[in-house]
Amino acid sequence: MALKVELRPHERIIVGNCVITNTDQRARLLIDGDNVPILRERDILTPETADTPAKLVYLAVQLMYISPDPQTQHGTYFNLVRDIVTAVPSSWPIIEAINNNILNGDLYRALKDARKLIAYEEKLRDQYNAAHPEADVSTAA
């Protein structure tokens, strides 16, 4: 099944294990292939931008998604989620969905669920900051 992608000027996209950078004009691509990992620039986290526990989980899943051998990231991923569930047990339903998608080999859907974990983490942080304005928990881990 083909995927249509429109790139803004200078936007990057990962297709397989290649980074493609657009020129200074909008471009439309039609990508055809089976099981080729594709990530738009806005969906890519780097080690520098993965500055919270949930973002580190997303980064681990992202690395599984683009890797030819996803299992190399399993140890890191499962250590991270164990720490999150220990600290925030209410995150379990989201983590369980990510786990199920990983175990079923649907890493793109696992990435989407990892985004939900990031949103949940932000919600908890905002609630904490509202209740404890003097503490002001930042986004840094």
Side-chain angles (χ1 to χ4, degrees):
M1 182 162 105
L3 174 68
K4 293 178 188 176
V5 178
E6 189 165 324
L7 298 175
R8 294 183 310 267
H10 307 289
E11 184 177 8
R12 292 180 291 184
I13 186 171
I14 293 176
V15 178
N17 59 359
C18 298
V19 176
I20 298 169
T21 304
N22 192 17
T23 61
D24 58 349
Q25 298 178 15
R26 288 184 87 77
R28 242 182 245 158
L29 304 173
L30 183 62
I31 303 168
D32 198 2
D34 292 329
N35 297 322
V36 176
I38 299 170
L39 278 177
R40 295 182 71 106
E41 184 171 10
R42 68 176 177 248
D43 296 325
I44 298 170
L45 277 184
T46 64
E48 295 77 31
T49 58
D51 57 1
T52 69
K55 288 180 181 179
L56 288 170
V57 167
Y58 182 93
L59 180 62
V61 176
Q62 174 187 288
L63 292 173
M64 284 183 223
Y65 178 62
I66 63 175
S67 173
D69 184 13
Q71 291 186 353
T72 60
Q73 294 299 318
H74 283 192
T76 301
Y77 167 79
F78 286 111
N79 286 334
L80 289 166
V81 296
R82 183 191 65 234
D83 292 345
I84 289 177
V85 170
T86 300
V88 185
S90 62
S91 66
W92 175 246
I94 300 169
I95 302 258
E96 184 178 34
I98 299 168
N99 289 348
N100 287 337
N101 286 315
I102 289 171
L103 295 174
N104 290 328
D106 192 347
L107 295 171
Y108 184 75
R109 189 160 302 212
L111 269 177
K112 289 176 78 173
D113 286 333
R115 280 252 177 240
K116 293 177 186 175
L117 183 64
I118 292 170
Y120 184 66
E121 179 184 58
E122 289 172 0
K123 176 184 161 192
L124 292 177
R125 188 176 46 250
D126 290 346
Q127 288 173 347
Y128 182 85
N129 287 339
H132 305 89
E134 69 284 353
D136 191 18
V137 176
S138 69
T139 59

